[in-house]
Structures are given as structure tokens and as C-alpha cells.
Amino acid sequence: MLLVKNGRVIDPASKTDSARDILIDGEAIKEIGEPGKISAPQGSEIFDASGMIVAPGFIDIHVHLREPGQESSETIDTGTKSAARGGFTAVCCMPNTKPVNDNASITRFIVDKARSASVRVWPIGAASIGSKGENLAEIAAMKEAGIVAVSDDGKPIATAKLTRQVMEYCKSLDLPVIEHSEDVSLAAGAVMREGVTSTRLGLRGMPAAAESVCVARDVQLAELTGARLHIAHLSAKGSLEQVKFAKERGLRVTCEVTPHHFTLIDEDVQYDSKFKMNPPLAAREDREALIAGLVDGSVDAIATDHAPHEPALKDVEFDKAPFGILGFETAIALSLEQLVQSGKLSLTRMVELFTTGPARVLGMERKLTAGQPADLTIFSTTHEWKYDVKQSPSKSRNSPFDGKSFKGAPMATVVGGKIAYRR
Ligand SMILES: [Zn+2]
Ligand SMILES: [Zn+2]
């Protein structure tokens, strides 16, 4: 057995914020009680969480693990090691692998590989075959094999007509449709957000509307079909207004925001591909709107969009480099710094955005009670450290936060009763 003692337990689902000991038997929580009241049997492992926060296991609803097909950038093994180090106990991997996860045999391959991974892996299946935007993928068969959602991430579902079909199909299967909202005609050729900075750097920019017009399309189709729609990596103020409009109408529309979009803006972009991601870093007023949305509940989850690219691919000219940055190992620290230590968000709300929030998007529950799977994220709000990307178990190094100092860090990650990472 494992006894996690003396921690400050924050569990949004049960509205708990108090000192508690947690006894774990095998893969499940056995008992939660006041400090010192639970006696662990002889030979139990003890984890002293004094001065630390103990929360339900954090879920990252949007990640890229690059396996199968791009193992030189990441594998399920290396990606989940990095996830555990970042405090995540479960990750949802996007289907844009090679080949694309658009059929049950690829889903089963991922699920099989994930049995020996450091954290739980919940695959997302493609919406269309090859994510080409032409014909529906084998969604029902992939659901049987274990997918938790559907997406053509990397790009939007190509047409309104196909999006409608995907939504109708997913509604009958009760699967969320996760949309990378982008009008490809407005975004064509762009490598960052359009504005003063893109002009100064001489880089082609895309307007905020490249995202928000597609969000508007998707919200209208969610209303038409009654499907569950989740907007990935929402970055623009106008997009969030669409999501709020949808929520007010009672539609089943949710969204996620990444740590890099609530931390950096287009003015921070340097001529360095570590600042190149899609959607690109947005304007100051967008970041303010995203933070307000994280506070008021219109944003449902924080997701990293962990997007590893090996140095040979990423360390090239800005225009030629692929989009995306690493996300796992800086997510908690950036959230603490930008949202909690800045006084904008309570710790409970932050925990909610990593636990009950993403769980609800997936139609799951996340709470700390006896009998539940023993997935815990244990973190410190005071531990001082410096992020050194060279020490990451990830195969890639593409982070704009390399070398940054932080106050607050993941301290241990417990997955199914086992300590998957310990600082
Ligand atoms: Zn995307
Ligand atoms: Zn993505």
C-alpha cells in the first residue's frame, strides 16, 4: 500500500481543500482521512507531502505523441515520461500520426503500446480518413477500440458539410468532436499572428478571424446537430465570444486554452522557430480575454498541445519550421505563475481546469474518493527551479521556456497507485 500523508488535498469535485492523508491499495484509493488518523499496514510505502498540494490526477486533453511514424520526434514511451514529469496522469493523443489514427487497428496499436507507458493514454481518432477531409473515418470501430473523442487536429474538418456529418455520427456515439478551428484560406502561408510584430519581422501573419470564423461555423453546426463540440487551443477573443454565445444558448460547446497562449503574445515572438505554433501567439487583448475566460468559467480546460519536433526538423528557418512546441513540463509552473501567483485565479479553480474540467469534456468524472482509481498530481507552489529542456525525457527540445526560472513545480505523479515520477 501507499500512504500519501500531510498534503493539502484540493479536490474540486468534492469541494475539499484541507489537510488529508490518502491511503492507496493497489490501483485504487482505499481511504481518505484527517492527518494521522489512517494507519498504514506494515511495509507500506510512505510519501510525505508536507507543504505540497495533492490533487486528482491532471488530464492533458490535447497532446501529440508522434507514434506511430515520427518516432525520431517522440514516442508513446518518451512522451508519457515527459507527461509524468509535468504532473499529468492521463493524456489524450491526437491522431495526426503516420499513418493517421483513422481506423481501429491503429487505435489498438496505440492502446497496446500505452500499456507500458508512464501515464494513461486515451487516443483521439481522426474525423475523416487520413484527416483528408473527404470521407468519414471508421469512428464506431475506433470507439470500440478505445478512442475518447474525434478530431482532424493539425487542420480543421475540411468542410461544413463534412463537419455536419461527423457531428451527427459522433452525437449518436456520444463522442465529443474536437475542432482545430482555422479558416485555411485566411491562414494560408501565415506563420504568426498578423500585426505590427509580423510586419517588423517580415513574416506573413494570419488575422484572429482565421480562427474565429471557423469557430462560428462549428458553433452553428453544433446547434444544428446537437453534438458535443470542443474547441481546441482557443486563442482569440472573438472565438471565446462565440463559445460564450453557444454556452448561453445551452449548446454542448466547450473549449481549452494552452499555457503558451495565456503566457506569451505576438510581441514576444522572436525570429526563432521555438515561437512558431498554430494557432500563433495572439494579441495582448486576446490574452486578457483568455485569462478572463479561465476565471469566469467560459474556458473549460487547460491543455498543452504538446507538439514535439526533433531538432533536425525544427531548427530551420522560421518559414520552413513545423508548427508546435513542447508543453508538459512547464504547464503547472506557467499556470501557477501567470494565473495563481498573479492573483487572478484560485488554486482550486486552477486544479479544476486540469481535472474536472477536461474530464467533463470527455464525459468522465475526476474525484478523490474511496474506490476511485489512485491517480494523483502532487505539486508545490513554492519549489524554485529552472527549466532545462536538455534534461527532458522527451526526444525533442522545442520550448520557448528553456532556461526560465519558476516558483512551483510538480513533485510527484501517481498513476494507478504507482509513483510514475518523483522530483
Ligand atoms: Zn491544432
Ligand atoms: Zn494539436
Side-chain angles (χ1 to χ4, degrees):
M1 293 199 197
L2 169 64
L3 180 67
V4 177
K5 63 175 198 179
N6 303 325
R8 173 181 164 193
V9 171
I10 296 185
D11 178 27
S14 63
K15 298 202 161 40
T16 303
D17 181 355
S18 49
R20 288 282 183 275
D21 288 356
I22 300 178
L23 183 64
I24 293 163
D25 184 8
E27 295 182 15
I29 295 171
K30 185 171 168 67
E31 197 182 345
I32 301 179
E34 286 176 31
K37 294 274 168 67
I38 300 174
S39 48
Q42 281 277 317
S44 294
E45 188 179 355
I46 310 285
F47 183 91
D48 187 354
S50 297
M52 300 178 198
I53 312 288
V54 179
F58 282 16
I59 300 167
D60 192 342
I61 198 174
H62 187 153
V63 320
H64 298 269
L65 297 177
R66 306 296 187 216
E67 189 176 0
Q70 298 148 308
E71 289 85 354
S72 51
S73 287
E74 199 75 289
T75 64
I76 291 167
D77 177 54
T78 61
T80 58
K81 281 194 173 103
S82 177
R85 204 176 158 92
F88 293 98
T89 62
V91 298
C92 300
C93 58
M94 284 296 179
N96 61 339
T97 45
K98 286 184 182 165
V100 169
N101 180 20
D102 62 4
N103 66 77
S105 71
I106 304 287
T107 306
R108 278 193 295 270
F109 168 85
I110 295 167
V111 169
D112 283 343
K113 279 262 170 180
R115 285 185 220 288
S116 57
S118 296
V119 308
R120 300 180 197 275
V121 177
W122 297 330
I124 295 168
S128 61
I129 294 173
S131 285
K132 289 197 174 98
E134 289 158 6
N135 299 299
L136 281 189
E138 294 176 15
I139 299 172
M142 286 192 289
K143 193 190 176 194
E144 287 279 310
I147 62 163
V148 294
V150 153
S151 181
D152 273 348
D153 187 47
K155 47 193 167 182
I157 302 173
T159 64
K161 183 181 175 192
L162 183 67
T163 306
R164 179 188 187 179
Q165 287 175 351
V166 170
M167 284 184 174
E168 282 171 344
Y169 203 71
C170 286
K171 191 197 172 192
S172 69
L173 294 169
D174 198 26
L175 280 173
V177 176
I178 302 181
E179 180 72 304
H180 166 119
S181 294
E182 177 184 323
D183 181 290
V184 293
S185 66
L186 277 173
V191 294
M192 68 172 292
R193 175 61 84 78
E194 181 179 291
V196 174
T197 309
S198 67
T199 305
R200 181 170 57 77
L201 292 172
L203 294 170
R204 187 183 300 198
M206 68 177 86
E211 179 182 273
S212 57
V213 299
C214 189
V215 174
R217 176 196 87 171
D218 297 327
V219 165
Q220 302 260 321
L221 294 170
E223 178 151 35
L224 176 66
T225 59
R228 288 158 62 191
L229 167 67
H230 179 71
I231 306 296
H233 43 51
L234 184 142
S235 72
K237 186 181 175 190
S239 307
L240 189 58
E241 281 164 4
Q242 298 289 334
V243 169
K244 283 185 190 167
F245 167 81
K247 288 186 174 192
E248 279 159 17
R249 289 172 84 87
L251 307 182
R252 297 195 291 172
V253 174
T254 53
C255 70
E256 74 199 21
V257 163
T258 72
H260 49 274
H261 286 112
F262 65 64
T263 302
L264 300 172
I265 58 175
D266 62 343
E267 292 168 29
D268 297 313
V269 173
Q270 297 166 24
Y271 195 83
D272 176 340
S273 68
K274 291 187 190 72
F275 293 88
K276 181 176 176 183
M277 65 287 277
N278 194 11
L281 296 173
R284 190 176 299 271
E285 61 166 5
D286 294 303
R287 179 175 62 181
E288 277 166 24
L290 300 185
I291 292 173
L294 290 159
V295 173
D296 71 22
S298 42
V299 175
D300 301 88
I302 296 173
T304 68
D305 195 6
H306 176 82
H309 296 290
E310 61 172 314
L313 292 171
K314 188 71 170 173
D315 296 347
V316 298
E317 284 168 68
F318 202 101
D319 276 326
K320 291 184 179 136
F323 291 102
I325 60 168
L326 303 183
F328 292 138
E329 295 169 47
T330 48
I332 288 180
L334 287 170
S335 300
L336 286 169
E337 178 189 88
Q338 296 295 317
L339 307 174
V340 179
Q341 286 153 6
S342 65
K344 291 170 182 144
L345 219 66
S346 69
L347 257 182
T348 301
R349 174 73 184 135
M350 184 194 119
V351 169
E352 191 174 50
L353 285 157
F354 280 109
T355 56
T356 43
R360 222 177 288 130
V361 172
L362 298 169
M364 300 178 185
E365 274 197 320
R366 206 64 166 170
K367 60 179 174 185
L368 294 180
T369 47
Q372 288 286 315
D375 289 7
L376 302 177
T377 293
I378 303 172
F379 64 98
S380 161
T381 57
T382 54
H383 183 87
E384 293 184 15
W385 65 292
K386 192 169 169 180
Y387 178 48
D388 177 4
V389 75
K390 286 192 298 298
Q391 293 185 6
S392 173
S394 169
K395 286 196 168 183
S396 295
R397 297 290 177 255
N398 49 317
S399 170
F401 302 112
D402 186 28
K404 186 170 161 52
S405 294
F406 290 108
K407 195 177 161 198
M411 302 304 284
T413 308
V414 178
V415 182
K418 290 195 187 71
I419 298 179
Y421 166 72
R422 180 177 214 151
R423 184 172 283 271

